[in-house]
Structures are given as C-alpha cells and as structure tokens.
DNA sequence: AGTCGTTTAAAACGATCGTTTGAAAAGAGC
DNA sequence: GCTCTTTTCAAACGATCGTTTTAAACGACT
C-alpha cells in the first residue's frame, strides 16, 4: 500500500477542510486527525497555521499560474490581436487542463471556494502572499482583456471581471446551500455541469455588453 | 443605562463586527468591548452567541421582509402582469426606502455582507432560522419573476437570480480588497456609488438575455 | 553495530474562547 | 421605608485553540 507522505496528506486534508469550513473554523486537530498524522506534524513541516494556509494556496496556484502564463505566451505568439473571447478561453482552458474529466468539477469547486476565501476571509498575510506571488500574471491577463475591448474604460473592465468572478465564486462557494434551495424551489436537482452551463452564457452576456 | 440601550448597542457592535470579520473571527469580548457593556450581557440578553447571530439577522431581515411583502402586495394590486423589471424594481426600492441617502450605501454594504455570510458561513442553525422565517416571502418574489419570464425554465430563473446575488454579495463583501486592487490596477479610486452604477447594467444584461 | 540527521509521538504549555456563577446595583410597585 | 424583579459586574469555569517541548522511532551511511 503506497501511502502518500505526511506533507501531502496534511495539504489534502487542509485543502478539503478549508474549502468546506473556512480557515478559522478549521482547527489543526481536525486536519491532522483526517490526515491521520500527529498534531505536531503541521508545525514541524509548515511552521504555523498561517504558513499551512499559504502552502495550500501555493500548491494549486503556482502550477495554475505557470500554465496560464504559458498559455498567454502561446496566445500572443499566434494571435496578434486576441479577442475578449480568446483571452477568456485561455483562462477556461487553463483551469480545466490536466484535470481528469470525472473529477473536473470537484477540483473546480475547491478552486473557486478557496478563491472566495482569499477574497472574503483573507487576513493580511494571505493577501500579501498572493499579491507577491501571483499579481504579475493576473495583471497580464487583465491587460489583454483591456486591449481586446478598447471601447471600455479600464475601470469598467476591471469591475466587470470581478463581478463575473463574484458570480462564479459565490455560486461554487454556496453550491450545497443553493442546490438544496433549488431542490425545494423548483423540484429539480441541479448538477454542477448544468449550473456551469447556465452560468457561462449568463456571464458572457454581461461581460461583453456595450454601454 | 436601560435594557434597550444595552441590547441595541450589542446588536450594533455585533452587526458591524460580523460584517467585517465573520462569525467565528468575532469574539463576544470584541463585541462587548466595542459596545461598552459587560461580557455577560450577551448571554444574559440573548442566551448564546448563536442566538445573537440570529438576532442580528432578524433585526434587519424582519422589517425588510415585511416591507417587501407589502410592496409586492401593492405591485399586484395595480399591475396584473408585472414585468421582470417591475419585480426587480420592487426589490431595489424596498432595499433603499427608509434609509437616509448619505448612509444608504453603508447600510447596503452591511446588508450584502451579512447576506454573503449567511450563504457561505452559515452553520445549520442560521440556515434553519432564515428558512423558517423568510423563505415564504422569498419564494413569493421568485414566483413573480418566473411568471414575468415564461419563456425561461424555473431552473433558469432561479439560478440567474443567484448568479446575480452572487455578484452583488461578493462585490460588496470584498469591496475593500477590490478597491485596493483597483487602485493598484487602474489608478482610479472607486466609490461604492460608482461600483453600483457599473454593477446594475452588468446584471440587467445578464438577467434578461434570451437563451 | 553504531552514529547522526530527520521524522513521528505523546504530553503539556499559555492564550483565548463561550458560558456560568454569585453578588452588587438599579428599578418598579406598594 | 421595604420587597421583589431586572440588570450589571467581576471573576471564574471547562473546553478548545495554536504552539512548544522532550523523547522515541526511523533511515541512511560508514
């Protein structure tokens, strides 16, 4: 039986529990119990709970950002004037590549949920960490969007992007609640796939409108 | 010092701190210190922290829901077939009436932030409380929206509404973070009013598109 | 086998949490 | 005045938190 090592098991448990409950509501004892490691292992391998939080974000954001950077390179290499759709397509492809189809939406849920926590529960240390490590690629992405839509002001682009991120993050963050509400409301069960299929045209219409 | 003063001051402090930090990150000692009352006053007047959380939501949701119910009554009394815009307008008017203009957006921010917490940080007790007390009017509101847009399925309406709620809640929940990001990104400062003025057409376009 | 650096283990640390206690202070009714 | 209820207050409770300590177990190497 090949057992993942202690560091990986801690990261897996922490990621799952953070996405499920948030940072403050998740204790190190919950994490180490689920990971079946000793309590002190967190402080030994990561230093502190704050460092563990940063490590959880780094594990999925660093490869994601690297992939996004390469995809953006490839985009501008073959396309001198990428459209709004082109740039958004690069983002969508980057989020989905490398993840097996059958667990694609679970991974995406965790991704979105953690992203939401970064916005709404971030203390200073996490915000600073994310800004130092990933702001550059993020700014590059926003820059291409602005270039693709010269009739809109920089402000408009920025805020529309974050309105859209808000929809996605909020929806995935409270998917369980919303699903039970939808079940009681319409009587229909909603799969993640179906919700995504409604969300994408919803956001497309909003992002690209002329004002 | 009378009882109402103590109760009100606790509710004010709790509302502000919950909206700012969330439930778990806000201790009773922080609340009572800011409210300048004794620590035991919370348990004496409310029973427990959970009951205090419910009381904070009840204080602004109960009058809001009552107003919304009356506004919906008035709408159907004068308008046999209210449009999508009519129904949304009732919601917007209900959220803004009774609040002085100069503090309108602060109140709205707190409203949205608490709403976001209810979705993303709700333990069972809060979800159950909100469902028992406010689900009826909420269902009525959704019902009128569905009737106004018969070409869309019930599912579509439900999810679009929550996509829109997500944008608004997320934006207001992380307004400070987003503002500092916008400042670093575009160099422009964004007032709440300006953000709202961009958000509303953004959501209108998304909500009303035909698919 | 024996040594040395790394990792795991159990136990305890001080701090902070929500809550409870018991007595003092304040109000209300007569 | 006095009594009885309501409210405030300081102090402490047990529980849980993140973190530290100390020693045992493990692994690689000579």
């Amino acid at each position: 039986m090949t057992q993942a090592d202690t560091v990986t098991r801690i990261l897996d448990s922490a990621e799952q529990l953070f996405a499920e409950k948030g940072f403050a509501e998740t204790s190190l004892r919950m994490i180490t119990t689920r990971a079946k490691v000793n309590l002190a292992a967190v402080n030994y391998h990561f230093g502190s709970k704050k460092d563990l939080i940063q490590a959880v974000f780094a594990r999925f954001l660093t490869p994601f950002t690297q992939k996004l950077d390469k995809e953006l390179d490839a985009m501008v290499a073959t396309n001198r004037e990428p459209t709004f759709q082109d740039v958004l397509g690069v983002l969508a492809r980057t989020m989905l590549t490398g993840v097996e189809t059958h667990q694609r939406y679970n991974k995406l849920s965790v991704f979105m949920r953690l992203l939401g926590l970064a916005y709404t529960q971030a203390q200073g240390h996490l915000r600073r960490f994310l800004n130092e490590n990933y702001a550059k690629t993020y700014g590059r992405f926003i820059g291409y969007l602005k270039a693709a839509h010269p009739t809109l002001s920089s402000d408009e682009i920025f805020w529309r992007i974050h309105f859209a991120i808000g929809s996605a993050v909020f929806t995935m963050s409270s998917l369980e609640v919303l699903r039970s509400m939808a079940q009681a409301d319409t009587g229909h069960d909603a799969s993640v796939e179906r919700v995504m299929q409604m969300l994408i045209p919803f956001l497309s219409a909003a992002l690209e409108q002329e004002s």
Side-chain angles (χ1 to χ4, degrees), chain A:
Chain A
M1 182 174 65
T2 63
Q3 213 172 30
D5 67 351
T6 303
V7 170
T8 303
R9 286 221 307 282
I10 291 174
L11 285 173
D12 288 341
S13 301
E15 179 180 276
Q16 196 170 339
L17 286 166
F18 286 157
E20 196 177 311
K21 302 172 176 295
F23 304 132
E25 296 86 349
T26 301
S27 70
L28 296 185
R29 284 167 178 83
M30 296 169 63
I31 294 171
T32 53
T33 299
R34 175 175 298 206
K36 291 175 183 169
V37 301
N38 188 271
L39 167 62
V42 171
N43 291 86
Y44 175 76
H45 286 287
F46 296 92
S48 69
K49 188 180 181 180
K50 288 184 179 181
D51 292 324
L52 172 61
I53 292 174
Q54 294 183 9
V56 167
F57 276 85
R59 187 174 63 151
F60 82 95
L61 271 185
T62 296
F64 171 78
T65 303
Q66 286 173 352
K67 270 194 293 185
L68 180 59
D69 243 334
K70 286 181 186 170
E71 296 278 347
L72 290 175
D73 288 339
M75 181 188 73
V76 295
T78 65
N79 193 345
R80 293 179 40 94
E81 286 196 350
T83 65
F84 214 79
Q85 300 261 15
D86 291 334
V87 185
L88 292 178
V90 165
L91 179 67
R93 233 176 300 125
T94 305
M95 289 175 67
L96 295 179
T97 53
V99 183
E100 314 232 357
T101 307
H102 69 281
Q103 58 174 349
R104 181 164 287 176
Y105 291 105
N106 283 333
K107 295 276 184 184
L108 198 57
S109 293
V110 173
F111 186 102
M112 289 293 183
R113 181 82 170 110
L114 290 176
L115 209 59
L117 293 179
Y119 277 96
T120 59
Q121 293 199 0
Q123 282 94 330
H125 76 94
L126 181 56
R127 209 169 298 164
R128 239 172 291 123
F129 172 79
L130 297 176
N131 196 56
E132 283 173 11
N133 292 280
Y134 310 108
K136 191 177 169 187
T137 301
Y138 156 81
R140 196 184 165 200
F141 173 77
I142 297 275
Y144 289 129
L145 284 177
K146 288 177 182 170
H149 220 155
T151 62
L152 289 181
S153 70
S154 284
D155 267 26
E156 282 271 8
I157 298 282
F158 173 88
W159 284 101
R160 284 192 189 185
I161 290 295
H162 285 92
F163 295 157
I165 291 176
S167 262
V169 160
F170 174 87
T171 301
M172 304 308 287
S173 288
S174 28
L175 196 61
E176 285 178 36
V177 188
L178 291 175
R179 258 216 283 253
S180 71
M181 288 174 65
Q183 171 72 17
D185 190 36
T186 68
H188 292 101
D189 221 1
S191 66
V192 185
E193 290 87 342
R194 172 139 171 69
V195 175
M196 293 281 292
Q197 279 166 4
M198 292 187 283
L199 177 60
I200 288 168
F202 177 93
L203 293 181
S204 297
L207 280 170
E208 296 199 79
Q209 68 160 314
E210 292 292 338
S211 66

